[in-house]
Amino acid sequence: MLGRLRLNHPEHQQSPQVSAHPRVRVPMEITTMSKRNSQAAKTAARERLRQERERQAKRDKVKRQVVVACSIVGVLAVAGGIGYAVVQANKPSHWESVADDKVVAPANTSGKDGTTVTVGKSSAKKTLKIYEDPRCPVCAAFEQTVGPTVDKDIEAGKYKLQFIGGTFLDGDTEKDGKFETGSHGEGSKNAMSALGAALNVSPEAFLDFKTALYSAKWHPSESDDKFKDDDYLIEIADSVPALKGNAKFRDAVEKGTYDAWAVAMSQTFNNNKDGVTGTPSLVMDGKKLTGADGNAPMTADEFGKVVDAALKA
């Protein structure tokens, strides 16, 4: 009997069988709502994406418009710059412009445009023509060695002196009767204009200023276009008593009163009838006066002999 007795001790009782994953039933209305929320989210996301694309498209369009506008401005600026450069390149220089201006002739001159400059006593029977370029280094050497003799001869009434000034060392030429400014500077023209201002003061001031221009102290090398500087010319003029502190002279130099006259004088040189093409050159009675080497005499002794022979001819 005992062997068939079933023990009811709790430790030996079999526990009821329980499922590890019990199935839970989800209400139908919750499932349907979840689907609707998911679709709405997708729709909203698509709408946001569409709006963002539209905004980006607008930004890209504006950017393209800015680029195109800048490109147009750049092209116009370049075209404008080229146009300005062309205009400036074709614009006449100051000296080309004054060539067409009315000539203001200095006092103590005669002839067309006042380009006949003769200094000396009216009683002198003959005239010595001297052709010079203000920047000419050989002219400077001539003036420094022979110049004092010329001044004495003029003072003594031995002959009159006619000055013809050229500006070919500036590179100036004449084409078809029209003055063409050169590319080698403007010192010869500017110094010529200053000589006109000195001549307007007096013939003596002209001669003294010319002597100062060609002096060893003031005359620059041919490659140094120092005479283009008005202040330098005025500084030289201050060494001449008649021009020192002379407001009228200074004003004429700074304003270029005789610039057109300087160009007219240059054209007189270019169109001379004496066959002169270089400087210094001396002519009396239509004949060139030369030394043993065929050029202008460069010593006082040789100059005296050549001139005396011409005066007796």
Side-chain angles (χ1 to χ4, degrees), residues 103 105-106 108-117 199 261 265:
V103 175
N108 306 301
T109 62
S110 61
K112 182 182 178 182
D113 294 329
T115 54
T116 300
V117 179
L199 184 58
W261 176 82
M265 176 62 82

Side-chain angles (χ1 to χ4, degrees), residues 130-144 163-170 187-189 191-192 210 213-215 219-225 227 269 277-281 296 298:
I130 182 167
Y131 289 83
E132 293 180 314
D133 185 311
R135 290 175 64 186
C136 171
V138 184
C139 296
F142 173 85
E143 288 287 345
Q144 291 167 29
F163 172 81
I164 302 98
T167 64
F168 64 89
L169 286 177
D170 283 351
S188 290
K189 293 182 288 292
M192 191 73 69
K210 184 164 76 75
L213 283 176
Y214 286 118
S215 68
H219 198 269
S221 65
E222 183 179 339
S223 60
D224 186 359
D225 194 23
F227 285 161
F269 179 99
T277 57
T279 56
S281 289
M298 296 299 291

